[in-house]
Amino acid sequence: MYPLIAAASLLIVPAYARDIVFPPVAAVHNPSSQQYPLAHEDTIDIVTGSQFSGLTTFANLPYLNCFVDDESTLNNYDIAFLGAPFDTGVTARPGARFGPKGIRLGSRRLGGWSIYTGENPFASWAKLVDCGDAPLTWLDNTVALKQLDMAHKVISSRRANATHLSQVPRIITLGGDHTTTLSALRSTYENWGPVSVIHFDSHIDTWDPKVLGGGVSHYAGVNHGTFLHLAHEEGLIRNTSIHVGIRAPVVRPKGDIRNDLRCGFEIITARDLDRLGVSGLVEEIKSRVGDSRVYISVDIDVLDPAYAPATGTAEPGGFTTRELLTILDALRGMPVIGADVVEVAPIYDTAGETTTLAAAEVANSLLALMVARPVGDDE
């Protein structure tokens, strides 16, 4: 207690003041209560709330426990967000297991109409939900990836809401390290067949497991640098796939590129953007994949570390956030049947959430591509 307050409590009230009647506290004049009167309690909204209310889902979407058996059509959806908190397949800095949470935090202010596309994917034909994170063990890679396989299988097994467009919902995965894309590709193959992969990354990720990790053990050979090799071996992807933004060194000067071609990929390097420009680069992508169904995978390290420092294997010389978003938006019209944004490790981010904000915008653009092109089962 402050000294002045203590002294005031010992004051003796003079006799002439003892009969004064003070008004009750509620009756004391409060100018603000007249300028901003409270609405009637029946009109106060605690349902929509603000961007900081309720569970932290992607862009404040409704949360749905997609892993519980429920045949109710009320729980059908067209596009689901799924977190994949896995980072034990990295070859550098860990931390991407916290990526899904970081991306969701970075998405809190998303919504509304884009000034670039004139569309709002959150106010479209598609019913959107966030399924939360897949329940993965952090102690065993093999078991964790099998759990992620099952999570994808369960989520994609529900009927879509807009069944006149498709019977099967689509999934946008929030990683997690890039190993998680293998489970997503297995899921899309089961429902849609092989796809062309548009792979935004600074690394090729088609390394032979014998070269990267497999020399130690089979267990170690399944990682974020080999998953596209494994996807090719399993027949999940088409030979019309393409890398965009590559700039990291390879392990073998010729063998890695030969293997990359064998896995069905062409390469657009990060510096090709300087030569081609955005329009030319987009035309290269479209020409490569043709009219095939597409899976888009975005490793956040395709961005320069100045724009995305929070990642496990940062490589200088990448795209700016604006360039990447412009390229993604220009892919409008493609039949995108699955997508992800991965390798976000929030522990390395700035106080301004530079990387998680960028990753959330990337996921928003991927969502917009899906909404812009509903994909029928017979396409």
Side-chain angles (χ1 to χ4, degrees):
M1 182 175 292
Y2 292 103
L4 287 178
I5 298 176
S9 65
L10 298 175
L11 288 177
I12 299 175
V13 180
Y16 63 83
R18 293 174 183 169
D19 295 329
I20 297 177
V21 178
F22 293 94
V25 175
V28 175
H29 178 62
N30 182 356
S32 64
S33 66
Q34 295 184 8
Q35 293 174 10
Y36 308 104
L38 286 175
H40 189 274
E41 62 180 11
D42 292 341
T43 66
I44 292 182
D45 178 10
I46 61 170
V47 177
T48 55
S50 75
Q51 65 199 35
F52 302 106
S53 66
L55 296 173
T56 302
T57 60
F58 185 83
N60 304 301
L61 289 174
Y63 166 72
L64 180 65
N65 186 346
C66 304
F67 306 112
V68 175
D69 289 333
D70 188 342
E71 299 300 324
S72 170
T73 57
L74 294 175
N75 290 334
N76 293 348
Y77 45 81
D78 299 301
I79 300 173
F81 285 85
L82 170 67
F86 175 94
D87 66 359
T88 49
V90 299
T91 56
R93 301 183 301 194
R97 66 181 62 179
F98 301 108
K101 178 181 178 180
I103 297 170
R104 289 186 178 104
L105 288 171
S107 73
R108 285 171 296 184
R109 297 185 63 252
L110 288 180
W113 300 86
S114 169
I115 63 172
Y116 297 109
T117 65
E119 297 179 345
N120 180 0
F122 300 97
S124 67
W125 60 269
K127 182 178 178 181
L128 313 174
V129 298
D130 188 329
C131 294
D133 290 353
L136 310 180
T137 177
W138 293 349
L139 303 175
D140 187 312
N141 288 28
T142 302
V143 172
L145 292 175
K146 288 181 179 179
Q147 289 172 321
L148 187 57
D149 286 347
M150 181 59 70
H152 272 278
K153 184 175 182 179
V154 170
I155 292 173
S156 63
S157 67
R158 289 188 184 272
R159 287 174 60 85
N161 187 60
T163 52
H164 62 290
L165 296 174
S166 173
Q167 299 294 316
V168 182
R170 290 176 281 178
I171 300 172
I172 298 176
T173 307
L174 309 177
D177 77 48
H178 221 150
T179 318
T180 60
T181 300
L182 182 57
S183 293
L185 290 172
R186 287 168 175 164
S187 171
T188 56
Y189 177 82
E190 288 297 319
N191 290 291
W192 306 91
V195 294
S196 296
V197 175
I198 303 175
H199 174 227
F200 290 88
D201 205 322
S202 61
H203 311 85
I204 56 174
D205 291 350
T206 52
W207 279 287
D208 190 320
K210 295 178 182 178
V211 174
L212 189 67
V216 177
S217 67
H218 173 74
Y219 174 98
V222 182
N223 58 65
H224 72 162
T226 63
F227 73 93
L228 286 175
H229 175 103
L230 296 170
H232 171 265
E233 295 297 295
E234 293 181 20
L236 309 179
I237 61 179
R238 295 166 56 99
N239 289 329
T240 50
S241 299
I242 190 166
H243 306 294
V244 184
I246 302 299
R247 59 190 183 277
V250 294
V251 179
R252 301 173 298 174
K254 295 182 180 179
D256 290 348
I257 301 303
R258 283 198 299 265
N259 188 62
D260 191 67
L261 290 170
R262 187 185 68 84
C263 289
F265 283 85
E266 285 189 357
I267 294 175
I268 296 177
T269 69
R271 295 185 187 181
D272 283 337
L273 180 61
D274 302 326
R275 176 176 58 88
L276 298 171
V278 170
S279 298
L281 189 148
V282 169
E283 285 306 311
E284 290 277 336
I285 295 173
K286 291 182 175 179
S287 174
R288 176 63 176 170
V289 303
D291 59 357
S292 64
R293 290 169 175 163
V294 167
Y295 185 98
I296 300 179
S297 182
V298 180
D299 185 327
I300 204 64
D301 74 23
V302 74
L303 298 179
D304 189 89
Y307 301 91
T311 189
T313 48
E315 302 284 353
F319 295 160
T320 68
T321 307
R322 186 187 67 252
E323 289 166 344
L324 176 58
L325 294 174
T326 300
I327 293 167
L328 287 174
D329 289 348
L331 300 180
R332 176 186 169 86
M334 285 188 170
V336 180
I337 51 80
D340 62 55
V341 54
V342 299
E343 297 283 354
V344 176
I347 189 63
Y348 312 114
D349 213 356
T350 68
E353 301 175 308
T354 304
T355 312
T356 55
L357 289 170
E361 284 291 348
V362 167
N364 189 40
S365 287
L366 295 172
L367 171 63
L369 292 177
M370 285 190 178
V371 168
R373 175 72 185 271
V375 183
D377 300 317
D378 56 351
E379 271 190 71

